[in-house]
């Protein structure tokens, strides 16, 4: 979708539809809509009355112009109560409007954002409608012989402002962010018979070549030489060999250095502790963290901020076989710590253990990992909220605060020493599962903490819930969501200022 910022006369705008956002308090049509209504001979007012249109969020009034305007339709999109309107409201209603337009085969639409909201700048509104439109326009339909709907190809954002430089810049950044998120969605949505470990490494290499990043891809032998015994064990059961990927973005004058680590299980069958029935369904999404790493780097390659970024993925597939690792096995991670296996389905933390050791050795200013780590996190917070943990409250607060702006819901889960007792193993330094299932998201986070250099601020984001959704929500269509790409890129942008 192409997004442009324009200042056009609504009367002569050549688009398929002109969209006005209306809040619940607007009992009468505001001035610019009234003008259009007059041209249409009062059709908007008539429709509004006869169809009993109330501008609740997500409600529409679609009025055909019958040739009285250059535009084919006028659409009023409800915003709901004006005091509740924030950036995410605009992302949502923009996505809904795009979907409505798709249904009506409108391929070029104009959103009029000549509005005033106390807490929102024109840049906020413009970037939010851009993100919502691009995210809402997404669908994963490459395997359908027949596409369901036409795409919206052009979005014009209409704003009567002389100097549109900063609004244009905001729209440019929003476009890059939303497209990076869609790129992540595309990768996550691919099944494991298409994207396996080797293929994932190839995609990472293509991305690195495209943006001029450095890249190292380690094969199974090199992974062994690096002493990554935990990661290697997880990968052993699969025909697809592990690939450890390290991409580096190195700007000329970096203001800091950050390691972004993503859980990269191309598929999680559970291994010998095989998942039953429906629990195995959707486990292609167990690479969501890794795909977010690539999406983040794509945005970084386009935005070129002044921070050094390491993208790190320990790609593997968790499968049962005669070569698979077993319960009771004792493994040794890169930092020398030993791990006793309680359950082979708690594999993500093992791959991350070695990836976090590797990241720590780079001595970055902070490490952020993203992982579809535990079902327990989904039980604790619901499907829509990611769990945030870590060793540094300031960094946690920073991520949480950014997530409030991006609409990627996150909530902190508390570490404590009583839960830490649960990952003490009978015969090794650590157990890969807690002795009870209570606090399972936290015991997983505590396990990871053992592999991070305590001097480095680290945040762990458990995205098991919001990484995907079977039916979709808000501006997320069904399948992968691409969370938390926008939050992390915004964090890196903030640190580069
Ligand atoms: N990949 C799963 C976690 C998951 C569950 C992600 C649901 C997305 C949706 C992870 O590897 C896993 O299997 N975790 C186990 C841990 C348990 C064995 C301690 C779980 O959550 O059941
Ligand atoms: Mg598992
Ligand atoms: Zn997993």
């Amino acid at each position: 979708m192409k997004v442009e910022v324009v200042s056009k006369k609504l009367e002569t705008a050549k688009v398929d539809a002109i969209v006005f956002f209306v809040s619940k308090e607007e009992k009468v049509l505001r001035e610019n809509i009234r003008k259009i209504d007059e041209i249409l001979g009062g059709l908007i007012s008539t429709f509004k009355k006869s169809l009993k249109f109330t501008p609740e969020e997500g409600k529409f009034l679609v009025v055909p112009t019958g040739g009285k305007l250059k535009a084919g339709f006028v659409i009023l999109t409800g915003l709901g109560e004006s005091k509740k309107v924030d950036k995410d409201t605009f992302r949502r209603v923009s996505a809904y409007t795009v979907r409505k337009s798709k249904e009506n085969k409108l391929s070029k639409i104009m959103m009029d954002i000549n509005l005033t909201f106390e807490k929102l700048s024109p840049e906020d509104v413009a970037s939010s409608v851009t993100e919502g439109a691009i995210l809402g326009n997404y669908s994963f339909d490459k395997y359908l012989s027949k596409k369901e709907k036409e795409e919206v190809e052009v979005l014009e954002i209409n704003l009567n402002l002389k100097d549109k430089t900063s609004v244009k810049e905001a729209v440019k950044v929003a476009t890059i962010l939303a497209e990076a998120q869609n790129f992540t969605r595309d990768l996550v949505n691919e099944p494991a018979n298409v994207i396996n470990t080797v293929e994932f490494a190839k995609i990472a290499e293509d991305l690195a070549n495209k943006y001029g990043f450095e890249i190292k891809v380690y094969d199974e032998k090199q992974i062994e030489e690096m002493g990554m015994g935990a990661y290697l064990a997880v990968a052993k059961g699969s025909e697809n060999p592990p690939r450890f990927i390290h991409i580096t973005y190195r700007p000329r004058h970096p203001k800091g250095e950050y390691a972004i680590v993503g859980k990269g299980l191309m598929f999680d069958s559970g291994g010998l502790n095989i998942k039953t029935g429906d629990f195995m369904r959707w486990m292609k999404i167990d690479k969501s963290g890794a795909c977010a790493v690539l999406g983040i780097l794509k945005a970084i390659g386009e935005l070129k901020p002044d921070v050094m970024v390491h993208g790190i993925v320990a790609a593997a597939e968790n499968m049962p076989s005669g070569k698979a690792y077993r319960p009771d096995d004792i493994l040794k991670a890169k930092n020398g710590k030993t791990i006793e296996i309680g359950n082979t389905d708690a594999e993500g933390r093992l791959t991350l253990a070695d990836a976090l050791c590797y990241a720590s050795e780079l001595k970055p200013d902070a490490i952020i990992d993203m992982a579809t780590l535990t079902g327990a996190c989904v039980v604790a917070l619901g499907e829509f909220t990611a769990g945030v943990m870590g060793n540094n409250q300031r960094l946690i607060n920073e991520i949480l605060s950014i997530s409030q702006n991006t609409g990627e819901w996150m909530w902190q889960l508390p570490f404590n020493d009583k839960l830490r007792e649960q990952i003490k193993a009978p015969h090794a330094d650590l157990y890969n599962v807690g002795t009870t299932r209570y606090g399972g998201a936290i015991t997983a986070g505590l396990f990871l903490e053992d592999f991070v250099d305590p001097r480095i601020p680290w945040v762990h984001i458990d995205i098991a819930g919001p990484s995907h959704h079977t039916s979709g929500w808000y501006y997320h269509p069904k399948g992968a969501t691409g969370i938390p790409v926008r939050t992390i890129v915004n964090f890196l942008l903030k640190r580069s200022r």
Side-chain angles (χ1 to χ4, degrees):
M1 182 193 284
K2 231 180 109 190
V3 186
E4 284 162 46
V5 183
V6 300
S7 295
K8 283 192 181 166
K9 275 193 124 181
L10 297 174
E11 295 84 332
T12 51
K14 269 194 211 149
V15 289
D16 295 321
I18 299 173
V19 180
F20 294 104
F21 297 105
V22 208
S23 63
K24 232 175 147 179
E25 287 79 2
E26 292 180 63
K27 295 278 180 268
V28 290
L29 296 176
R30 60 173 182 263
E31 205 194 317
N32 56 351
I33 309 179
R34 205 172 57 229
K35 265 189 171 162
I36 297 296
D37 193 34
E38 274 161 24
I39 297 173
L40 296 181
L43 214 55
I44 300 177
S45 318
T46 313
F47 267 57
K48 192 169 174 255
K49 217 168 151 194
S50 62
L51 295 172
K52 297 197 181 69
F53 171 71
T54 54
E56 249 124 325
E57 184 181 317
K59 288 245 168 98
F60 297 101
L61 183 71
V62 183
V63 181
T65 61
K68 292 200 176 99
L69 285 178
K70 284 273 186 310
F73 293 88
V74 170
I75 300 177
L76 303 197
T77 297
L79 280 170
E81 262 177 77
S82 64
K83 68 169 188 292
K84 287 192 188 155
V85 171
D86 61 11
K87 286 169 80 170
D88 222 39
T89 314
F90 275 107
R91 286 188 199 102
R92 295 194 297 268
V93 296
S94 174
Y96 303 153
T97 306
V98 164
R99 275 182 218 150
K100 188 86 186 164
S101 306
K102 270 170 120 172
E103 277 168 29
N104 292 296
K105 299 197 167 29
L106 311 173
S107 68
K108 184 175 180 183
I109 62 175
M110 172 193 272
M111 293 183 184
D112 185 82
I113 61 158
N114 291 298
L115 304 150
T116 37
F117 281 94
E118 224 176 276
K119 287 182 217 126
L120 297 170
S121 65
E123 289 81 4
D124 288 337
V125 178
S127 61
S128 302
V129 297
T130 303
E131 288 179 2
I134 296 173
L135 293 170
N137 200 30
Y138 176 86
S139 59
F140 186 69
D141 54 10
K142 64 186 276 200
Y143 295 108
L144 298 181
S145 342
K146 228 179 100 198
K147 274 205 187 185
E148 276 172 6
K149 284 166 197 137
E150 295 295 317
E151 302 280 294
V152 173
E153 271 150 27
V154 181
L155 167 62
E156 290 184 348
I157 297 175
N158 193 45
L159 181 62
N160 302 333
L161 199 67
K162 260 216 190 92
D163 183 7
K164 293 194 283 295
T165 327
S166 64
V167 174
K168 281 186 174 165
E169 179 58 25
V171 166
K172 192 192 117 196
V173 174
T175 304
I176 290 172
L177 285 169
E179 281 172 357
Q181 187 166 347
N182 282 346
F183 173 70
T184 294
R185 287 168 165 182
D186 267 339
L187 298 178
V188 178
N189 280 326
E190 288 287 359
N193 65 326
V194 177
I195 297 190
N196 56 30
T197 48
V198 175
E199 181 58 26
F200 187 87
K202 272 195 208 133
I203 295 167
E205 275 171 340
D206 289 346
L207 185 88
N209 292 337
K210 181 166 177 200
Y211 293 105
F213 302 143
E214 295 159 31
I215 182 165
K216 278 185 260 173
V217 176
Y218 302 89
D219 64 16
E220 54 272 44
K221 211 172 134 251
Q222 295 164 307
I223 293 165
E224 196 176 347
E225 282 162 10
M226 288 193 289
M228 297 182 163
Y231 165 39
L232 205 59
V234 171
K236 264 170 55 185
S238 171
E239 293 287 326
N240 296 308
R243 289 290 181 265
F244 189 90
I245 299 147
H246 174 194
I247 307 176
T248 308
Y249 162 72
R250 201 186 294 272
R252 214 160 282 151
H253 308 291
K255 291 196 182 128
E257 185 174 344
Y258 299 91
I260 313 296
V261 181
K263 172 174 171 180
L265 266 290
M266 303 299 124
F267 191 77
D268 178 13
S269 70
L272 289 178
N273 290 107
I274 196 158
K275 290 182 185 289
T276 52
D278 275 353
F279 288 106
M280 205 189 295
R281 185 73 222 283
W282 287 97
M283 278 306 132
K284 66 171 183 183
I285 61 81
D286 219 16
K287 60 183 179 313
S288 297
C291 300
V293 167
L294 298 190
I296 290 161
L297 280 162
K298 175 176 151 63
I300 293 303
E302 284 160 22
L303 295 165
K304 301 187 179 63
D306 289 328
V307 283
M308 193 165 156
V309 183
H310 299 280
I312 295 165
V313 173
E317 185 179 37
N318 188 20
M319 295 291 267
S321 82
K323 288 189 194 144
Y325 80 130
R326 321 158 186 80
D328 299 344
D329 280 3
I330 295 177
L331 317 171
K332 195 184 214 165
K334 195 176 194 304
N335 65 353
K337 288 193 185 175
T338 55
I339 306 160
E340 188 165 347
I341 301 306
N343 190 315
T344 63
D345 200 7
E347 84 298 334
R349 65 197 76 180
L350 299 170
T351 63
L352 286 168
D354 282 326
L356 289 169
C357 291
Y358 183 100
S360 294
E361 286 172 17
L362 300 170
K363 300 203 184 329
D365 295 308
I367 300 174
I368 299 174
D369 82 71
M370 308 163 292
T372 46
L373 204 61
T374 65
C377 195
V378 194
V379 174
L381 297 175
E383 300 160 86
F384 310 99
T385 304
V388 176
M389 289 149 262
N391 64 3
N392 182 298
Q393 194 58 43
R394 273 185 62 190
L395 183 62
I396 292 173
N397 291 347
E398 197 175 341
I399 295 290
L400 290 175
S401 133
I402 293 169
S403 78
Q404 301 223 314
N405 264 308
T406 56
E408 297 181 323
W409 299 347
M410 296 186 188
W411 199 255
Q412 184 175 2
L413 299 176
F415 279 174
N416 63 59
D417 287 335
K418 284 308 287 175
L419 283 172
R420 203 182 297 275
E421 288 169 12
Q422 287 205 14
I423 49 169
K424 281 204 184 115
H427 305 296
D429 299 332
L430 288 158
Y431 216 27
N432 82 325
V433 286
T435 41
T436 76
R437 54 191 188 87
Y438 302 124
I442 299 172
T443 47
L446 286 166
F447 178 93
L448 296 181
E449 191 180 19
D450 263 76
F451 302 90
V452 178
D453 182 334
R455 290 165 298 185
I456 304 173
W458 155 74
V459 159
H460 158 58
I461 309 176
D462 192 330
I463 52 170
S467 65
H468 67 292
H469 199 271
T470 49
S471 45
W473 89 92
Y474 293 169
Y475 38 85
H476 302 295
K478 58 175 175 270
T481 59
I483 283 172
V485 166
R486 284 181 299 112
T487 300
I488 306 304
V489 177
N490 274 301
F491 165 79
L492 294 168
L493 292 178
K494 180 166 171 274
R495 288 294 182 109
S496 82
R497 267 177 226 132

